[in-house]
Amino acid sequence: MSVGGGLGGGREAQLKHTGLRPGWTTGACATAATTAAYTALLTGEFPDPVTITLPKGGRPAFALAAEELTAGTAMAGIVKDAGDDPDVTHGALIRSTVRILPAGSGVVFRAGPGVGTVTLPGLPLEVGEPAINPVPRQMMRDHVAEVAAAHGASGDVEITVSVDHGEEIARSTWNPRIGILGGLSVLGTTGIVVPYSCSAWIDSIRRGVDVARAAGLTHVAGCTGSTSERTVTSLYELPEIALLDMGDFAGAVLKYVRQHPVDRLTICGGFAKLSKLAAGHLDLHSARSQVDKGFLADLARSGGAGEELAAEIAAANTGLAALRLCEAAAVPLGDLVAARARDEALTVLRGAPVAVDVVCIDRAGTVVGRSTVAGP
């Protein structure tokens, strides 16, 4: 875990008012472990705690949870502390094993147990490479060079990063879907985990789009959960890599597809969530947007609902209750929400060459509303 050091920049002040404790990325932990292991190889002693420099200038220190020194290699391990963020890798033991290579070899990265390997194009790493992202790689290179300069070494090393139980943990991430097999990715652009920033989820959405495009797919689907994934798969027979687990982040999907277009985007999710998109919300989480029953009542009026029904809709407890009232009166509220959500999506896409359709479902996965396909 971290034992001190500043966050750097304005991040510390930014987080103080939230009462939430920040943490450290897998990349920062791997960098600290690498720094300790390489230092031990050159000096015979592990620095504990070990201090690193983050990309934006912070200087956190990390306590070692494991260390091992042999004639040719050194291993150091650090337990990841993600702070108050619900990170699946919180508490994982990140290990780095360093081996000295002949002069001129440079820094070579390997995937140890629990770290995945890239198997599909479209990611910022070549197929066959260990899933250690570019910024963590650069952090490790920089710290290896710093240690080498301090001790008169060449800095030519092999770095093998591993994560205890990483393959098991990775099953609850996007990695298998986007072609990272065998374990986790070593991530992080700042070294800091900001609690509830959802940056990892949004980054996974982006990588999902990249992989789908690289595979030549022309139709992808942004889904709010596993039920909507099953529904959209049955409707369109899409392959798994075409399914984007967008959760509540409709805006993240739309903004990234705007910059990296595909021919067609289907958005599929629960009626209540997609009614929020129809009303102009891009973050569909219940803490950040609410179902607007007045908006639903107005939509129902446009579909033929009388004032008595509209008043019932406005007073309904839930969006689904409003939908059931309309179904009983043969008012196509589900289709109206889907069409309006599609139009909102097209507004966010700003004329990007992407055709969009929207599918609304109930909790059982039954389609309760569907738009036509429309584009710019």
Side-chain angles (χ1 to χ4, degrees), residues 118 120-126 132-134 137 180 203 207 210:
V118 176
L120 292 176
L123 297 170
L125 299 166
E126 295 296 322
I132 303 170
N133 272 19
R137 287 181 184 230
I180 296 174
D203 185 66
R207 300 295 77 79
D210 292 343

Side-chain angles (χ1 to χ4, degrees), residues 32-68:
T34 297
T35 302
Y38 189 37
T39 301
L41 263 184
L42 298 181
T43 68
E45 296 291 336
F46 288 90
D48 189 7
V50 57
T51 300
I52 64 169
T53 302
L54 300 178
K56 293 187 177 181
R59 294 272 296 167
F62 297 80
L64 299 189
E67 58 184 61
E68 181 179 310

Side-chain angles (χ1 to χ4, degrees), residues 16 18 66 90 93 165 169 182 244 298 312 325 330 337 359 373:
K16 275 183 178 177
T18 68
H90 176 71
L93 182 59
H165 310 295
I169 297 169
L244 308 173
D298 287 340
E312 290 183 80
L325 288 169
V337 163
V359 179
V373 182

Side-chain angles (χ1 to χ4, degrees), residues 181-275:
L181 303 183
L184 293 161
S185 302
V186 178
L187 302 172
T189 55
T190 65
I192 302 164
V193 174
V194 179
Y196 295 92
S197 70
C198 305
S199 59
W201 195 320
I202 291 171
D203 185 66
S204 294
I205 290 171
R206 294 169 178 167
R207 300 295 77 79
V209 173
D210 292 343
V211 167
R213 281 166 46 92
L217 299 186
T218 58
H219 186 183
V220 300
C223 303
T224 57
S226 58
T227 302
S228 55
E229 286 188 355
R230 288 193 295 271
T231 299
V232 82
T233 299
S234 67
L235 288 174
Y236 300 114
E237 298 183 353
L238 294 175
E240 189 177 41
I241 62 170
L243 305 179
L244 308 173
D245 182 9
M246 74 177 186
D248 295 311
F249 303 110
V253 171
L254 293 167
K255 291 171 186 176
Y256 198 71
V257 169
R258 182 174 72 207
Q259 298 172 327
H260 304 83
V262 292
D263 290 351
R264 182 172 173 186
L265 169 66
T266 295
I267 296 174
C268 183
F271 170 81
K273 279 190 183 295
L274 294 189
S275 76

